[in-house]
Amino acid sequence: MNLSFLSVVSILHDGEELYQLQKKLTHLGQYLLQNFKDFELILVNNLGVNPPEEAIEKVPIEVRKHIHLINLSSRSNRNFAILAGLDRANGDYSIVLEFPFYENSAFINQLYQKTQEGFDLVYLRGIE
């Protein structure tokens, strides 16, 4: 169990993500509960419409209590949305996590372990 406080920032920028949001948040949250003493999941709604509250309400309470939602007033540049999430982050470590990586949550622990080896900045780059 990692004793650090981890902030996970994710940006909702595709309406399709809403259909799988409950399942993915539940999966990721369960992984984080098992591997980190404290964490927060910061979701930045960059859709401009369709707040995801309904999907979040269906997530189990033990995970839902760690979720913070930021609703942007209008759709903005993706980088601005990331900055809004990082501005809200309170963790000892912060990670910007794309939704496709929710299924492979073990990446989070691997990135965290690299920070414990003395690296100040670590990242994972996916192939599109």
Side-chain angles (χ1 to χ4, degrees):
M1 171 86 51
N2 299 309
L3 301 178
S4 297
F5 179 23
L6 180 69
S7 295
V8 178
V9 176
S10 291
I11 312 304
L12 293 169
H13 55 81
D14 180 357
E16 294 295 316
E17 295 162 348
L18 291 176
Y19 297 112
Q20 298 180 12
L21 187 60
Q22 174 193 351
K23 177 181 145 194
K24 289 191 174 205
L25 287 173
T26 300
H27 175 80
L28 177 63
Q30 294 298 331
Y31 176 83
L32 293 171
L33 283 168
Q34 294 170 4
N35 290 280
F36 288 88
K37 183 175 186 236
D38 200 9
F39 67 92
E40 62 184 354
L41 291 168
I42 301 168
L43 294 177
V44 180
N45 179 9
N46 194 28
L47 297 170
V49 293
N50 301 328
E53 283 94 350
E54 186 177 312
I56 292 171
E57 288 174 4
K58 295 177 183 176
V59 174
I61 187 67
E62 65 270 9
V63 174
R64 190 172 62 229
K65 68 182 182 179
H66 295 278
I67 298 173
H68 304 281
L69 177 63
I70 299 172
N71 284 310
L72 300 180
S73 60
S74 62
R75 195 172 175 99
S76 70
N77 178 293
R78 178 182 153 81
N79 293 329
F80 294 147
I82 291 171
L83 285 175
L86 290 174
D87 188 50
R88 167 60 179 81
N90 291 311
D92 300 320
Y93 298 91
S94 297
I95 182 171
V96 178
L97 188 66
E98 296 286 336
F99 280 95
F101 291 106
Y102 271 45
E103 300 296 323
N104 299 317
S105 304
F107 285 127
I108 294 171
N109 203 31
Q110 292 171 4
L111 292 170
Y112 173 77
Q113 292 305 321
K114 282 293 186 187
T115 67
Q116 300 308 294
E117 295 172 16
F119 295 97
D120 292 328
L121 180 64
V122 295
Y123 67 94
L124 171 69
R125 192 172 92 190
I127 299 172
E128 293 186 35

